[in-house]
Amino acid sequence: MLLPFRYVDRQFCLAVGLLLFVGITTLYSLSFIAKAHFSYSHFVKHCIYLVGALGVFATLLQVPINSLRKKMYWVLGLALLLSFFTLFSDPIKGARRWISIFGVSLQVSEVLKFAALLAFACWGKLSIENNALRKQVLRPLIPLAVFGGIVLVLTIVQKDLGTVVLLAVTGLLVLILAGIPKRYVFLLGVLAVLVIILLVGLEGHRQSRITAFIDPFADPHGAGFAQLQSLMAYNNGGLFGVGWGGSLQKESLPEVHNDFIIAIIAEEHGWLGFFFVCALYLFIGMRMISIGKVANKRGELFGAFYAYLLAGLILTQVMINVGGSTAALPSKGLTLPLLSYGGSSLWATAAMFAVLLRLDYENKLHAEEVQ
């Protein structure tokens, strides 16, 4: 049973629906690539994944926020257990990020991001209610430090630097929102940067991405190839684009259905299409913050932290993906939420958005009760 229509945030759902539509139409365009980087069968799978994501969304929409908060430890435990199982999985392109469940490949880091959001929100709620950070700083940080250490070890083995970056940003954000002194934010931020630099140094392909970012022309047929092809897509598109299905760079761009899908959108629909997509993400992020503010005013601290952190997570992921395709940031293998191919990303995003809209529903119910 879905929520009554009058409680649905129609503007938020419209923005999400438009992004899904852009993603599906772009993936359909990619499904006819001559070199078969992305086939029609992949497109069909994505449509099936989308139906599954709607099922996940409808199911979690029925779970009250308070019940979800109480089940947070179970969700977090499951995510960490699945992450542990990846250590014994077969590597794909040198990384162990996926496990197979009943023949379906699941990228565990997507589950971990959802669980981390719940855990961070719960920690933030308890910190505010107990006034923990004003009494002392180091002791309340121990749970976050333990969680961060476990995730760091698992991610090193999985070779998933993107998840480390996203969780580091989200972790710093929850500390700022919880009121930790600025000097600690600075020190932890420096520590996070040093850890990321160390992880980059451990893998040769990560170093090559940095050098390609600095000078893609130094190795145009190797490390800088994807970056240059992506920039060519933006150049080909111009202001209005070459038209749907007319992309030339989709023939040569690697991981075009994931890392560089926004470049194909820009090529086919121009800078107008590119900025339209970016505006939709920005609007979604602003709606998340707005929902969090309402929850905060009525004293629902767990929900408020969750909404704020979800906005930070989604917008950071979008920034990294778009920044990599435009050469504003080093390229990193992160999907673009709602647009990129893949079931794990769709399911996790559906779960995260379901919790958000459930929070919005409870905000509106509360507003009716106090009137």
Side-chain angles (χ1 to χ4, degrees), residues 146-192:
V146 172
F147 174 69
I150 294 173
V151 171
L152 185 60
V153 172
L154 291 172
T155 336
I156 289 175
V157 178
Q158 294 174 358
K159 298 184 179 180
D160 190 359
L161 180 60
T163 299
V164 173
V165 174
L166 288 177
L167 293 185
V169 171
T170 310
L172 286 175
L173 181 58
V174 72
L175 291 174
I176 294 171
L177 293 173
I180 191 173
K182 294 181 179 178
R183 63 181 181 275
Y184 288 98
V185 175
F186 175 76
L187 291 174
L188 290 171
V190 171
L191 177 61

Side-chain angles (χ1 to χ4, degrees), residues 181-210:
K182 294 181 179 178
R183 63 181 181 275
Y184 288 98
V185 175
F186 175 76
L187 291 174
L188 290 171
V190 171
L191 177 61
V193 171
L194 292 176
V195 169
I196 291 172
I197 292 174
L198 176 62
L199 293 178
V200 169
L202 290 176
E203 297 290 337
H205 72 278
R206 293 173 184 162
Q207 298 175 33
S208 65
R209 286 180 175 177
I210 299 297

Side-chain angles (χ1 to χ4, degrees), residues 6-242:
R6 70 179 186 275
Y7 293 114
V8 176
D9 189 330
R10 292 183 285 277
Q11 293 178 335
F12 180 88
C13 291
L14 176 61
V16 171
L18 286 172
L19 285 173
L20 287 173
F21 175 77
V22 172
I24 288 175
T25 55
T26 304
L27 290 173
Y28 184 73
S29 171
L30 295 177
S31 67
F32 297 100
I33 299 176
K35 294 184 179 179
H37 296 305
F38 184 81
S39 65
Y40 182 73
S41 63
H42 288 97
F43 171 76
V44 173
K45 284 183 181 179
H46 186 80
C47 292
I48 296 173
Y49 294 151
L50 180 56
V51 173
L54 293 176
V56 171
F57 177 82
T59 301
L60 277 180
L61 201 58
Q62 310 309 312
V63 182
I65 294 297
N66 193 46
S67 298
L68 186 64
R69 179 181 60 81
K70 293 178 180 179
K71 294 179 175 63
M72 180 274 298
Y73 292 104
W74 290 99
V75 178
L76 185 61
L78 175 63
L80 291 175
L81 182 62
L82 292 175
S83 298
F84 177 75
F85 285 152
T86 61
L87 305 182
F88 307 97
S89 64
D90 295 327
I92 300 177
K93 296 182 180 180
R96 300 178 185 271
R97 305 175 190 173
W98 298 266
I99 59 174
S100 180
I101 301 178
F102 301 113
V104 178
S105 182
L106 177 67
Q107 188 170 350
V108 177
S109 61
E110 297 294 340
V111 182
L112 187 60
K113 284 189 291 186
F114 176 58
L117 277 178
L118 299 178
F120 287 154
C122 189
W123 181 89
K125 173 186 183 301
L126 294 175
S127 296
I128 294 294
E129 289 179 343
N130 299 328
N131 204 20
L133 292 176
R134 293 187 180 275
K135 296 176 182 178
Q136 53 177 276
V137 175
L138 296 180
R139 187 172 181 179
L141 293 181
I142 293 177
L144 290 183
V146 172
F147 174 69
I150 294 173
V151 171
L152 185 60
V153 172
L154 291 172
T155 336
I156 289 175
V157 178
Q158 294 174 358
K159 298 184 179 180
D160 190 359
L161 180 60
T163 299
V164 173
V165 174
L166 288 177
L167 293 185
V169 171
T170 310
L172 286 175
L173 181 58
V174 72
L175 291 174
I176 294 171
L177 293 173
I180 191 173
K182 294 181 179 178
R183 63 181 181 275
Y184 288 98
V185 175
F186 175 76
L187 291 174
L188 290 171
V190 171
L191 177 61
V193 171
L194 292 176
V195 169
I196 291 172
I197 292 174
L198 176 62
L199 293 178
V200 169
L202 290 176
E203 297 290 337
H205 72 278
R206 293 173 184 162
Q207 298 175 33
S208 65
R209 286 180 175 177
I210 299 297
T211 56
F213 165 69
I214 297 172
D215 183 12
F217 292 97
D219 188 10
H221 300 290
F225 179 78
Q227 197 84 79
L228 292 174
Q229 296 299 315
S230 180
L231 292 176
M232 288 176 65
Y234 283 97
N235 182 68
N236 292 343
L239 182 61
F240 299 103
V242 297

